[in-house]
Amino acid sequence: MALTYELIKECKQTGARLGKIHTKHGSIETPIFMPVGTQATVKTMTPEELKEINAQIILSNTYHLYLRPGHEIIKKAGGLHEFMNWDRPILTDSGGFQVFSLNELRKITEEGVEFRSHLDGSKHFLSPEKAVEIQNTLGSDIIMAFDECAPYPADREYVKNSLERTTRWAKRCKTAHKNTENQSLFGIIQGGMYKDLRQQSAEEIIELDFPGYAIGGLSVGEPKPLMYEILEHTVPLMPKLKPRYLMGVGSPDALIEGAIRGIDMFDCVHGTRIARNGTAMTTYGRVVIKNAKYAEDFTSLDPECDCYTCKNYSRAYIRHLFKANEILGLRLLSYHNLYFLLKLMENIREAIKNDSLLDYKKTFFEKYGL
Amino acid sequence: MALTYELIKECKQTGARLGKIHTKHGSIETPIFMPVGTQATVKTMTPEELKEINAQIILSNTYHLYLRPGHEIIKKAGGLHEFMNWDRPILTDSGGFQVFSLNELRKITEEGVEFRSHLDGSKHFLSPEKAVEIQNTLGSDIIMAFDECAPYPADREYVKNSLERTTRWAKRCKTAHKNTENQSLFGIIQGGMYKDLRQQSAEEIIELDFPGYAIGGLSVGEPKPLMYEILEHTVPLMPKLKPRYLMGVGSPDALIEGAIRGIDMFDCVHGTRIARNGTAMTTYGRVVIKNAKYAEDFTSLDPECDCYTCKNYSRAYIRHLFKANEILGLRLLSYHNLYFLLKLMENIREAIKNDSLLDYKKTFFEKYGL
């Protein structure tokens, strides 16, 4: 068995739960946030820095690694862990979301998706079998089924078709998966914003018996209350003794709301992306570091944070680095934002332990200005 | 006394010497290479990483810091060390070289240099007094006189005029220097490629009695043998018991040749700049990491290097990072190249200790392919 999920405690106040996922590359405390290393590197960070901030699992992308450097090169390097010098768990997505995002550059058929590379326009084909084969080659601990993620908004007919295709593709992924000993394949529940279609998808995918389940097709442009509504409807349909992963969600409020609704795993590029644009997440809300008001602000980014950035640098210095286009600025904010998100998850876990998650949420939202 | 120089040993084979410079922020073993932190950051690196690779002193730039963020902000931060989180020695240059490099954007008079900012075109004026005042405000351990660096080639008359102005400006710098207790002002010898003018400049500047001396106006486009010839002529004119700093020189061969000719201090952006362009300095010469031949090369950058980069990453991975425009690539190569240069200086010091510098040079040049 490549992966086991241990349910440690259920929150008395909410649907949240405390758990542990055990993999061959170590254990993961849940609920967890997974920093994203799209191209076999979490942008600006070394693996040692990720460990410093207690990253327990990272995510990488099949689509990007397939195109560059190519999964065969990573195989020759000894697999993705070895290639990128990361010995803790890795989850790879299937590339489905990326190829569907290519819009005019892709053509979907029952067999799979023909697409053109965003890098050089070259023609490629991804299918359930191919996506699993690539992920088997990469050697990630958790691999994702090749699914079709409907856009938002989308009409019922479209969403129904794509969830049913997702089920057929999930079956093919399961059949194609060759390394069940070391890698766990997660199924993905689709169904857009239609509760009955979410139910249909959940039933069909869970029927296939995967070691973990993801909810896809959320955080695709819909209002947050709608996302939470769909979560409230979908999560209870999912098995209690398997991990639940909400794909592509990583804003602080959504992490708390997701955990409250029983989600165990999250990932999102948001925190590192806004960091590179000069925005820090802090206890008291966002800080846009280039603002003139920080030019002579010699306090730390976040007065309640004890990360490397906050312990050693002032807002004035980080602002200077951004104004001067210095890479250290990108590093310091990326480091801080990831620390902030991982610390938030630690606080959520602590609050579940103490049955105080709703109180924690209240305090967090008040300070953050939500 | 802000600075003392301790001569530890003279090489029996060459003009090289082993020494120590003692400052209020710690001691520096010489000969030394100083990584350049133009804008109050050594590009891509944290101070902790600089310590890991044994950087003992770094250089920063008056011109850049004056324009951005402004020296008054750095003063309010508690000085440059505090601002950038670096507690070891810092040398700042005077800004002279930068403003002269502005060409059409500057006008030189006896009083000083009027120039326009390369950032926003705003008008500014730097004089010997102003350059010293800014450096006094920054609080760097070693500050440099405001000099006029002649271009190459330049006719005798031009060079003679600029060296004589450099002497007059050096006197004004000395008078202006307000913080002799904590900061040491170095004089700069000019004179271009004219030996008699180098002699005149050396005599005039040394007459003013500075705690250290630099040789400016070399590595400005002249052939290396000519630079070495001027060094051989100039260094013997300099006091034995004070540090000697060759400005703007940092290629591996020139570091060895400079040390052989009695130089104690070097700085150059070369190593970090080529790193950001994807070029590594290795024991066996340069590695241009984007070359296709490294796509499946799973060996380390430099088989004889034990730096963080070489211990943990393959050429194939670093090449991937560069092809994918990932910041970690810039970090790993910058780290390696600085480590390489600092290790080279350590080897030079070791060779001086053992009177084997010429043998070391021979082996190094052979392996490097020089």
Side-chain angles (χ1 to χ4, degrees), chain A residues 39-40 43-44 47-49 68 76 85 296 308 313 317 320 323 326-327 330-331, chain B residues 39-40 43-44 47-49 68 76 85 296 308 313 317 320 323 326-327 331:
Chain A
Q39 306 191 103
K43 288 191 191 301
T44 82
E48 288 74 15
E49 287 161 354
R68 187 172 59 191
K76 286 179 193 163
N85 187 32
E296 300 194 11
Y308 169 74
Y313 303 94
Y317 181 64
H320 163 65
K323 298 291 281 183
E326 285 285 357
I327 283 171
L330 309 179
R331 289 183 59 182
Chain B
Q39 306 190 104
K43 288 191 191 303
T44 81
E48 288 73 15
E49 287 161 354
R68 187 172 61 192
K76 286 179 193 164
N85 187 32
E296 301 194 11
Y308 169 74
Y313 302 94
Y317 181 65
H320 163 65
K323 298 291 281 182
E326 286 285 358
I327 282 171
R331 288 184 59 183

mmCIF file of all heavy atoms in Angstrom, chain A residues 39-40 43-44 47-49 68 76 85 296 308 313 317 320 323 326-327 330-331, chain B residues 39-40 43-44 47-49 68 76 85 296 308 313 317 320 323 326-327 331:
data_model
loop_
_atom_site.group_PDB
_atom_site.id
_atom_site.type_symbol
_atom_site.label_atom_id
_atom_site.label_comp_id
_atom_site.label_asym_id
_atom_site.label_seq_id
_atom_site.Cartn_x
_atom_site.Cartn_y
_atom_site.Cartn_z
ATOM 1 N N GLN A 39 7.601 23.714 -11.958
ATOM 2 C CA GLN A 39 8.653 23.235 -12.854
ATOM 3 C C GLN A 39 9.777 22.551 -12.076
ATOM 4 O O GLN A 39 10.956 22.777 -12.334
ATOM 5 C CB GLN A 39 9.211 24.407 -13.664
ATOM 6 C CG GLN A 39 8.127 25.188 -14.404
ATOM 7 C CD GLN A 39 8.676 26.185 -15.404
ATOM 8 O OE1 GLN A 39 8.652 25.930 -16.603
ATOM 9 N NE2 GLN A 39 9.180 27.306 -14.927
ATOM 10 N N ALA A 40 9.397 21.716 -11.101
ATOM 11 C CA ALA A 40 10.378 20.997 -10.276
ATOM 12 C C ALA A 40 11.208 21.945 -9.424
ATOM 13 O O ALA A 40 12.365 21.670 -9.103
ATOM 14 C CB ALA A 40 11.283 20.097 -11.138
ATOM 15 N N LYS A 43 9.112 28.201 -6.620
ATOM 16 C CA LYS A 43 9.780 29.402 -7.123
ATOM 17 C C LYS A 43 10.523 30.177 -6.023
ATOM 18 O O LYS A 43 9.947 30.511 -5.001
ATOM 19 C CB LYS A 43 8.777 30.318 -7.831
ATOM 20 C CG LYS A 43 8.354 29.721 -9.186
ATOM 21 C CD LYS A 43 7.563 30.713 -10.043
ATOM 22 C CE LYS A 43 6.937 30.008 -11.248
ATOM 23 N NZ LYS A 43 7.892 29.348 -12.155
ATOM 24 N N THR A 44 11.779 30.435 -6.280
ATOM 25 C CA THR A 44 12.758 31.181 -5.456
ATOM 26 C C THR A 44 13.331 30.381 -4.287
ATOM 27 O O THR A 44 14.305 30.816 -3.683
ATOM 28 C CB THR A 44 12.226 32.524 -4.862
ATOM 29 O OG1 THR A 44 11.466 32.274 -3.678
ATOM 30 C CG2 THR A 44 11.377 33.304 -5.859
ATOM 31 N N PRO A 47 15.070 23.448 -1.367
ATOM 32 C CA PRO A 47 14.430 22.420 -0.542
ATOM 33 C C PRO A 47 14.699 22.625 0.953
ATOM 34 O O PRO A 47 13.805 22.407 1.778
ATOM 35 C CB PRO A 47 15.077 21.124 -1.037
ATOM 36 C CG PRO A 47 15.491 21.429 -2.436
ATOM 37 C CD PRO A 47 15.894 22.867 -2.446
ATOM 38 N N GLU A 48 15.890 23.072 1.288
ATOM 39 C CA GLU A 48 16.221 23.284 2.708
ATOM 40 C C GLU A 48 15.339 24.382 3.291
ATOM 41 O O GLU A 48 14.910 24.306 4.441
ATOM 42 C CB GLU A 48 17.700 23.659 2.866
ATOM 43 C CG GLU A 48 18.672 22.508 2.626
ATOM 44 C CD GLU A 48 18.816 22.134 1.162
ATOM 45 O OE1 GLU A 48 18.391 22.922 0.283
ATOM 46 O OE2 GLU A 48 19.343 21.043 0.878
ATOM 47 N N GLU A 49 15.107 25.424 2.520
ATOM 48 C CA GLU A 49 14.239 26.490 3.008
ATOM 49 C C GLU A 49 12.810 25.997 3.179
ATOM 50 O O GLU A 49 12.114 26.366 4.122
ATOM 51 C CB GLU A 49 14.303 27.694 2.058
ATOM 52 C CG GLU A 49 15.625 28.435 2.176
ATOM 53 C CD GLU A 49 15.943 29.332 0.988
ATOM 54 O OE1 GLU A 49 15.191 29.325 -0.011
ATOM 55 O OE2 GLU A 49 16.965 30.028 1.050
ATOM 56 N N ARG A 68 9.098 20.112 -20.450
ATOM 57 C CA ARG A 68 10.444 20.613 -20.139
ATOM 58 C C ARG A 68 10.782 20.263 -18.718
ATOM 59 O O ARG A 68 10.054 20.709 -17.837
ATOM 60 C CB ARG A 68 10.480 22.147 -20.334
ATOM 61 C CG ARG A 68 11.849 22.768 -20.217
ATOM 62 C CD ARG A 68 11.839 24.230 -20.614
ATOM 63 N NE ARG A 68 10.914 25.013 -19.794
ATOM 64 C CZ ARG A 68 10.552 26.281 -20.072
ATOM 65 N NH1 ARG A 68 11.004 26.883 -21.155
ATOM 66 N NH2 ARG A 68 9.736 26.937 -19.282
ATOM 67 N N LYS A 76 15.846 9.402 -15.948
ATOM 68 C CA LYS A 76 17.283 9.103 -15.955
ATOM 69 C C LYS A 76 17.995 9.702 -14.746
ATOM 70 O O LYS A 76 19.031 9.201 -14.306
ATOM 71 C CB LYS A 76 17.927 9.626 -17.244
ATOM 72 C CG LYS A 76 17.589 8.773 -18.463
ATOM 73 C CD LYS A 76 18.233 9.347 -19.724
ATOM 74 C CE LYS A 76 17.627 8.679 -20.965
ATOM 75 N NZ LYS A 76 17.912 9.457 -22.202
ATOM 76 N N ASN A 85 16.145 17.292 -5.655
ATOM 77 C CA ASN A 85 16.751 17.295 -4.321
ATOM 78 C C ASN A 85 15.704 17.482 -3.210
ATOM 79 O O ASN A 85 15.931 18.205 -2.248
ATOM 80 C CB ASN A 85 17.833 18.392 -4.259
ATOM 81 C CG ASN A 85 18.642 18.381 -2.980
ATOM 82 O OD1 ASN A 85 18.867 17.317 -2.396
ATOM 83 N ND2 ASN A 85 19.059 19.547 -2.531
ATOM 84 N N GLU A 296 10.145 54.384 4.797
ATOM 85 C CA GLU A 296 10.897 54.574 6.041
ATOM 86 C C GLU A 296 10.273 53.779 7.188
ATOM 87 O O GLU A 296 10.347 54.167 8.342
ATOM 88 C CB GLU A 296 10.975 56.069 6.378
ATOM 89 C CG GLU A 296 11.661 56.849 5.270
ATOM 90 C CD GLU A 296 12.062 58.264 5.671
ATOM 91 O OE1 GLU A 296 11.991 58.589 6.867
ATOM 92 O OE2 GLU A 296 12.473 59.018 4.774
ATOM 93 N N TYR A 308 12.167 33.852 9.047
ATOM 94 C CA TYR A 308 13.482 34.416 8.734
ATOM 95 C C TYR A 308 13.364 35.849 8.223
ATOM 96 O O TYR A 308 14.097 36.747 8.658
ATOM 97 C CB TYR A 308 14.176 33.536 7.687
ATOM 98 C CG TYR A 308 15.424 34.171 7.113
ATOM 99 C CD1 TYR A 308 16.584 34.238 7.868
ATOM 100 C CD2 TYR A 308 15.426 34.729 5.830
ATOM 101 C CE1 TYR A 308 17.723 34.841 7.363
ATOM 102 C CE2 TYR A 308 16.556 35.327 5.323
ATOM 103 C CZ TYR A 308 17.707 35.378 6.088
ATOM 104 O OH TYR A 308 18.830 35.985 5.582
ATOM 105 N N TYR A 313 14.642 41.481 8.530
ATOM 106 C CA TYR A 313 14.565 42.565 7.559
ATOM 107 C C TYR A 313 13.382 43.488 7.823
ATOM 108 O O TYR A 313 12.345 43.052 8.317
ATOM 109 C CB TYR A 313 14.479 41.990 6.136
ATOM 110 C CG TYR A 313 15.651 41.097 5.825
ATOM 111 C CD1 TYR A 313 15.578 39.719 6.018
ATOM 112 C CD2 TYR A 313 16.860 41.643 5.384
ATOM 113 C CE1 TYR A 313 16.668 38.895 5.770
ATOM 114 C CE2 TYR A 313 17.959 40.829 5.135
ATOM 115 C CZ TYR A 313 17.854 39.456 5.328
ATOM 116 O OH TYR A 313 18.934 38.660 5.096
ATOM 117 N N TYR A 317 13.669 47.918 3.881
ATOM 118 C CA TYR A 317 14.691 47.200 3.110
ATOM 119 C C TYR A 317 14.053 46.358 2.009
ATOM 120 O O TYR A 317 14.500 46.376 0.864
ATOM 121 C CB TYR A 317 15.524 46.320 4.041
ATOM 122 C CG TYR A 317 16.622 45.557 3.319
ATOM 123 C CD1 TYR A 317 17.663 46.235 2.694
ATOM 124 C CD2 TYR A 317 16.606 44.165 3.244
ATOM 125 C CE1 TYR A 317 18.672 45.541 2.020
ATOM 126 C CE2 TYR A 317 17.608 43.468 2.581
ATOM 127 C CZ TYR A 317 18.639 44.154 1.971
ATOM 128 O OH TYR A 317 19.625 43.480 1.299
ATOM 129 N N HIS A 320 12.982 48.508 -0.736
ATOM 130 C CA HIS A 320 14.151 48.886 -1.545
ATOM 131 C C HIS A 320 14.514 47.776 -2.533
ATOM 132 O O HIS A 320 14.758 48.033 -3.720
ATOM 133 C CB HIS A 320 15.328 49.219 -0.628
ATOM 134 C CG HIS A 320 16.651 49.216 -1.325
ATOM 135 N ND1 HIS A 320 16.976 50.129 -2.313
ATOM 136 C CD2 HIS A 320 17.726 48.395 -1.217
ATOM 137 C CE1 HIS A 320 18.198 49.870 -2.765
ATOM 138 N NE2 HIS A 320 18.663 48.830 -2.127
ATOM 139 N N LYS A 323 12.007 47.795 -5.339
ATOM 140 C CA LYS A 323 12.183 48.955 -6.210
ATOM 141 C C LYS A 323 13.435 48.779 -7.081
ATOM 142 O O LYS A 323 13.479 49.237 -8.216
ATOM 143 C CB LYS A 323 12.310 50.236 -5.381
ATOM 144 C CG LYS A 323 11.079 50.573 -4.540
ATOM 145 C CD LYS A 323 9.882 50.992 -5.367
ATOM 146 C CE LYS A 323 9.975 52.432 -5.828
ATOM 147 N NZ LYS A 323 8.758 52.833 -6.560
ATOM 148 N N GLU A 326 15.717 43.557 -7.125
ATOM 149 C CA GLU A 326 16.690 42.598 -6.611
ATOM 150 C C GLU A 326 16.008 41.280 -6.249
ATOM 151 O O GLU A 326 14.961 41.260 -5.599
ATOM 152 C CB GLU A 326 17.397 43.184 -5.382
ATOM 153 C CG GLU A 326 18.425 44.260 -5.725
ATOM 154 C CD GLU A 326 19.710 43.681 -6.319
ATOM 155 O OE1 GLU A 326 19.841 42.444 -6.411
ATOM 156 O OE2 GLU A 326 20.581 44.502 -6.692
ATOM 157 N N ILE A 327 16.628 40.192 -6.649
ATOM 158 C CA ILE A 327 16.066 38.854 -6.451
ATOM 159 C C ILE A 327 15.839 38.536 -4.980
ATOM 160 O O ILE A 327 14.890 37.832 -4.621
ATOM 161 C CB ILE A 327 16.983 37.813 -7.132
ATOM 162 C CG1 ILE A 327 16.721 37.854 -8.650
ATOM 163 C CG2 ILE A 327 16.790 36.413 -6.566
ATOM 164 C CD1 ILE A 327 17.677 37.041 -9.470
ATOM 165 N N LEU A 330 12.284 39.036 -3.947
ATOM 166 C CA LEU A 330 11.377 37.944 -4.319
ATOM 167 C C LEU A 330 11.528 36.775 -3.352
ATOM 168 O O LEU A 330 10.544 36.145 -2.947
ATOM 169 C CB LEU A 330 11.675 37.454 -5.742
ATOM 170 C CG LEU A 330 11.758 38.520 -6.841
ATOM 171 C CD1 LEU A 330 12.078 37.870 -8.180
ATOM 172 C CD2 LEU A 330 10.443 39.280 -6.928
ATOM 173 N N ARG A 331 12.772 36.503 -2.976
ATOM 174 C CA ARG A 331 13.031 35.409 -2.051
ATOM 175 C C ARG A 331 12.390 35.677 -0.697
ATOM 176 O O ARG A 331 11.720 34.817 -0.133
ATOM 177 C CB ARG A 331 14.540 35.221 -1.843
ATOM 178 C CG ARG A 331 15.277 34.646 -3.029
ATOM 179 C CD ARG A 331 16.754 34.424 -2.688
ATOM 180 N NE ARG A 331 16.884 33.503 -1.557
ATOM 181 C CZ ARG A 331 18.046 33.146 -1.011
ATOM 182 N NH1 ARG A 331 19.182 33.651 -1.485
ATOM 183 N NH2 ARG A 331 18.080 32.307 -0.004
ATOM 184 N N GLN B 39 23.570 47.213 -4.676
ATOM 185 C CA GLN B 39 22.388 47.895 -4.147
ATOM 186 C C GLN B 39 22.027 47.383 -2.753
ATOM 187 O O GLN B 39 20.871 47.122 -2.452
ATOM 188 C CB GLN B 39 21.208 47.691 -5.103
ATOM 189 C CG GLN B 39 21.529 48.109 -6.536
ATOM 190 C CD GLN B 39 20.316 48.156 -7.444
ATOM 191 O OE1 GLN B 39 19.823 49.228 -7.758
ATOM 192 N NE2 GLN B 39 19.813 46.996 -7.857
ATOM 193 N N ALA B 40 23.048 47.202 -1.908
ATOM 194 C CA ALA B 40 22.824 46.719 -0.541
ATOM 195 C C ALA B 40 22.311 45.285 -0.515
ATOM 196 O O ALA B 40 21.590 44.885 0.410
ATOM 197 C CB ALA B 40 21.894 47.651 0.250
ATOM 198 N N LYS B 43 23.729 40.096 -5.236
ATOM 199 C CA LYS B 43 22.602 39.610 -6.034
ATOM 200 C C LYS B 43 22.321 38.115 -5.825
ATOM 201 O O LYS B 43 23.194 37.293 -5.953
ATOM 202 C CB LYS B 43 22.827 39.914 -7.520
ATOM 203 C CG LYS B 43 22.679 41.409 -7.820
ATOM 204 C CD LYS B 43 22.644 41.690 -9.318
ATOM 205 C CE LYS B 43 22.763 43.183 -9.593
ATOM 206 N NZ LYS B 43 21.722 44.022 -8.948
ATOM 207 N N THR B 44 21.076 37.816 -5.511
ATOM 208 C CA THR B 44 20.483 36.489 -5.271
ATOM 209 C C THR B 44 20.803 35.893 -3.894
ATOM 210 O O THR B 44 20.164 34.914 -3.507
ATOM 211 C CB THR B 44 20.859 35.392 -6.330
ATOM 212 O OG1 THR B 44 22.140 34.851 -6.027
ATOM 213 C CG2 THR B 44 20.831 35.945 -7.746
ATOM 214 N N PRO B 47 22.688 37.163 3.478
ATOM 215 C CA PRO B 47 23.904 37.300 4.285
ATOM 216 C C PRO B 47 24.363 35.956 4.861
ATOM 217 O O PRO B 47 25.567 35.679 4.905
ATOM 218 C CB PRO B 47 23.467 38.248 5.407
ATOM 219 C CG PRO B 47 22.352 39.042 4.814
ATOM 220 C CD PRO B 47 21.631 38.098 3.911
ATOM 221 N N GLU B 48 23.420 35.111 5.258
ATOM 222 C CA GLU B 48 23.786 33.809 5.822
ATOM 223 C C GLU B 48 24.511 32.954 4.778
ATOM 224 O O GLU B 48 25.455 32.239 5.087
ATOM 225 C CB GLU B 48 22.547 33.063 6.322
ATOM 226 C CG GLU B 48 21.942 33.634 7.584
ATOM 227 C CD GLU B 48 21.203 34.943 7.352
ATOM 228 O OE1 GLU B 48 20.912 35.279 6.185
ATOM 229 O OE2 GLU B 48 20.915 35.658 8.335
ATOM 230 N N GLU B 49 24.039 33.021 3.543
ATOM 231 C CA GLU B 49 24.707 32.253 2.485
ATOM 232 C C GLU B 49 26.108 32.800 2.234
ATOM 233 O O GLU B 49 27.050 32.045 1.990
ATOM 234 C CB GLU B 49 23.865 32.280 1.208
ATOM 235 C CG GLU B 49 22.625 31.404 1.343
ATOM 236 C CD GLU B 49 21.529 31.711 0.331
ATOM 237 O OE1 GLU B 49 21.652 32.698 -0.431
ATOM 238 O OE2 GLU B 49 20.528 30.987 0.319
ATOM 239 N N ARG B 68 19.117 55.414 -4.592
ATOM 240 C CA ARG B 68 18.024 54.523 -4.194
ATOM 241 C C ARG B 68 18.506 53.530 -3.172
ATOM 242 O O ARG B 68 19.406 52.774 -3.521
ATOM 243 C CB ARG B 68 17.485 53.787 -5.441
ATOM 244 C CG ARG B 68 16.247 52.966 -5.198
ATOM 245 C CD ARG B 68 15.654 52.439 -6.493
ATOM 246 N NE ARG B 68 16.598 51.569 -7.203
ATOM 247 C CZ ARG B 68 16.431 51.158 -8.458
ATOM 248 N NH1 ARG B 68 15.385 51.534 -9.150
ATOM 249 N NH2 ARG B 68 17.314 50.368 -9.026
ATOM 250 N N LYS B 76 18.672 56.295 8.809
ATOM 251 C CA LYS B 76 17.563 56.088 9.748
ATOM 252 C C LYS B 76 17.408 54.612 10.129
ATOM 253 O O LYS B 76 16.919 54.283 11.203
ATOM 254 C CB LYS B 76 16.246 56.599 9.152
ATOM 255 C CG LYS B 76 16.154 58.125 9.140
ATOM 256 C CD LYS B 76 14.846 58.597 8.519
ATOM 257 C CE LYS B 76 14.903 60.086 8.221
ATOM 258 N NZ LYS B 76 13.843 60.502 7.285
ATOM 259 N N ASN B 85 21.362 43.740 7.035
ATOM 260 C CA ASN B 85 21.519 42.545 7.867
ATOM 261 C C ASN B 85 22.868 41.850 7.653
ATOM 262 O O ASN B 85 22.963 40.631 7.587
ATOM 263 C CB ASN B 85 20.346 41.582 7.593
ATOM 264 C CG ASN B 85 20.316 40.379 8.513
ATOM 265 O OD1 ASN B 85 20.720 40.468 9.671
ATOM 266 N ND2 ASN B 85 19.863 39.241 8.005
ATOM 267 N N GLU B 296 21.426 15.905 -20.280
ATOM 268 C CA GLU B 296 21.369 14.625 -19.565
ATOM 269 C C GLU B 296 22.658 14.381 -18.793
ATOM 270 O O GLU B 296 23.065 13.234 -18.585
ATOM 271 C CB GLU B 296 21.065 13.490 -20.534
ATOM 272 C CG GLU B 296 19.743 13.710 -21.263
ATOM 273 C CD GLU B 296 19.220 12.459 -21.983
ATOM 274 O OE1 GLU B 296 19.756 11.360 -21.762
ATOM 275 O OE2 GLU B 296 18.257 12.608 -22.758
ATOM 276 N N TYR B 308 27.407 23.923 -1.774
ATOM 277 C CA TYR B 308 26.012 23.481 -1.690
ATOM 278 C C TYR B 308 25.465 23.074 -3.053
ATOM 279 O O TYR B 308 24.827 22.029 -3.211
ATOM 280 C CB TYR B 308 25.153 24.603 -1.083
ATOM 281 C CG TYR B 308 23.674 24.344 -1.190
ATOM 282 C CD1 TYR B 308 23.063 23.403 -0.366
ATOM 283 C CD2 TYR B 308 22.891 25.006 -2.136
ATOM 284 C CE1 TYR B 308 21.710 23.137 -0.470
ATOM 285 C CE2 TYR B 308 21.532 24.747 -2.240
ATOM 286 C CZ TYR B 308 20.948 23.808 -1.408
ATOM 287 O OH TYR B 308 19.607 23.540 -1.524
ATOM 288 N N TYR B 313 23.030 19.260 -6.641
ATOM 289 C CA TYR B 313 22.313 19.403 -7.906
ATOM 290 C C TYR B 313 23.190 18.986 -9.093
ATOM 291 O O TYR B 313 24.397 19.135 -9.064
ATOM 292 C CB TYR B 313 21.848 20.851 -8.079
ATOM 293 C CG TYR B 313 20.965 21.290 -6.942
ATOM 294 C CD1 TYR B 313 21.504 21.952 -5.831
ATOM 295 C CD2 TYR B 313 19.607 20.983 -6.930
ATOM 296 C CE1 TYR B 313 20.701 22.318 -4.752
ATOM 297 C CE2 TYR B 313 18.799 21.341 -5.862
ATOM 298 C CZ TYR B 313 19.346 22.009 -4.779
ATOM 299 O OH TYR B 313 18.560 22.348 -3.724
ATOM 300 N N TYR B 317 19.804 19.388 -13.932
ATOM 301 C CA TYR B 317 18.782 20.114 -13.191
ATOM 302 C C TYR B 317 18.993 21.617 -13.303
ATOM 303 O O TYR B 317 18.038 22.370 -13.547
ATOM 304 C CB TYR B 317 18.789 19.684 -11.714
ATOM 305 C CG TYR B 317 17.729 20.383 -10.885
ATOM 306 C CD1 TYR B 317 16.377 20.175 -11.139
ATOM 307 C CD2 TYR B 317 18.077 21.256 -9.856
ATOM 308 C CE1 TYR B 317 15.393 20.812 -10.388
ATOM 309 C CE2 TYR B 317 17.106 21.897 -9.093
ATOM 310 C CZ TYR B 317 15.766 21.675 -9.363
ATOM 311 O OH TYR B 317 14.802 22.316 -8.628
ATOM 312 N N HIS B 320 17.939 22.793 -16.597
ATOM 313 C CA HIS B 320 16.465 22.878 -16.631
ATOM 314 C C HIS B 320 15.988 24.181 -15.991
ATOM 315 O O HIS B 320 15.129 24.881 -16.547
ATOM 316 C CB HIS B 320 15.855 21.666 -15.923
ATOM 317 C CG HIS B 320 14.415 21.841 -15.555
ATOM 318 N ND1 HIS B 320 13.422 21.988 -16.496
ATOM 319 C CD2 HIS B 320 13.806 21.951 -14.343
ATOM 320 C CE1 HIS B 320 12.263 22.160 -15.882
ATOM 321 N NE2 HIS B 320 12.469 22.144 -14.580
ATOM 322 N N LYS B 323 16.660 27.011 -18.384
ATOM 323 C CA LYS B 323 15.770 26.966 -19.543
ATOM 324 C C LYS B 323 14.363 27.393 -19.145
ATOM 325 O O LYS B 323 13.632 27.995 -19.928
ATOM 326 C CB LYS B 323 15.731 25.549 -20.133
ATOM 327 C CG LYS B 323 17.062 25.036 -20.656
ATOM 328 C CD LYS B 323 17.541 25.748 -21.898
ATOM 329 C CE LYS B 323 16.840 25.247 -23.145
ATOM 330 N NZ LYS B 323 17.369 25.919 -24.361
ATOM 331 N N GLU B 326 13.852 29.835 -14.006
ATOM 332 C CA GLU B 326 13.569 29.717 -12.578
ATOM 333 C C GLU B 326 14.669 30.396 -11.758
ATOM 334 O O GLU B 326 15.860 30.195 -12.003
ATOM 335 C CB GLU B 326 13.443 28.245 -12.184
ATOM 336 C CG GLU B 326 12.127 27.609 -12.649
ATOM 337 C CD GLU B 326 10.922 28.052 -11.803
ATOM 338 O OE1 GLU B 326 11.101 28.815 -10.839
ATOM 339 O OE2 GLU B 326 9.799 27.607 -12.140
ATOM 340 N N ILE B 327 14.244 31.159 -10.763
ATOM 341 C CA ILE B 327 15.174 31.930 -9.938
ATOM 342 C C ILE B 327 16.173 31.038 -9.210
ATOM 343 O O ILE B 327 17.330 31.423 -9.000
ATOM 344 C CB ILE B 327 14.368 32.805 -8.948
ATOM 345 C CG1 ILE B 327 13.825 34.021 -9.734
ATOM 346 C CG2 ILE B 327 15.203 33.248 -7.758
ATOM 347 C CD1 ILE B 327 12.846 34.866 -8.961
ATOM 348 N N ARG B 331 20.256 31.504 -8.357
ATOM 349 C CA ARG B 331 20.797 31.358 -7.010
ATOM 350 C C ARG B 331 21.916 30.324 -6.992
ATOM 351 O O ARG B 331 22.988 30.570 -6.437
ATOM 352 C CB ARG B 331 19.694 30.895 -6.042
ATOM 353 C CG ARG B 331 18.668 31.930 -5.704
ATOM 354 C CD ARG B 331 17.676 31.401 -4.675
ATOM 355 N NE ARG B 331 18.355 31.004 -3.438
ATOM 356 C CZ ARG B 331 17.756 30.457 -2.384
ATOM 357 N NH1 ARG B 331 16.455 30.232 -2.419
ATOM 358 N NH2 ARG B 331 18.440 30.145 -1.307
#
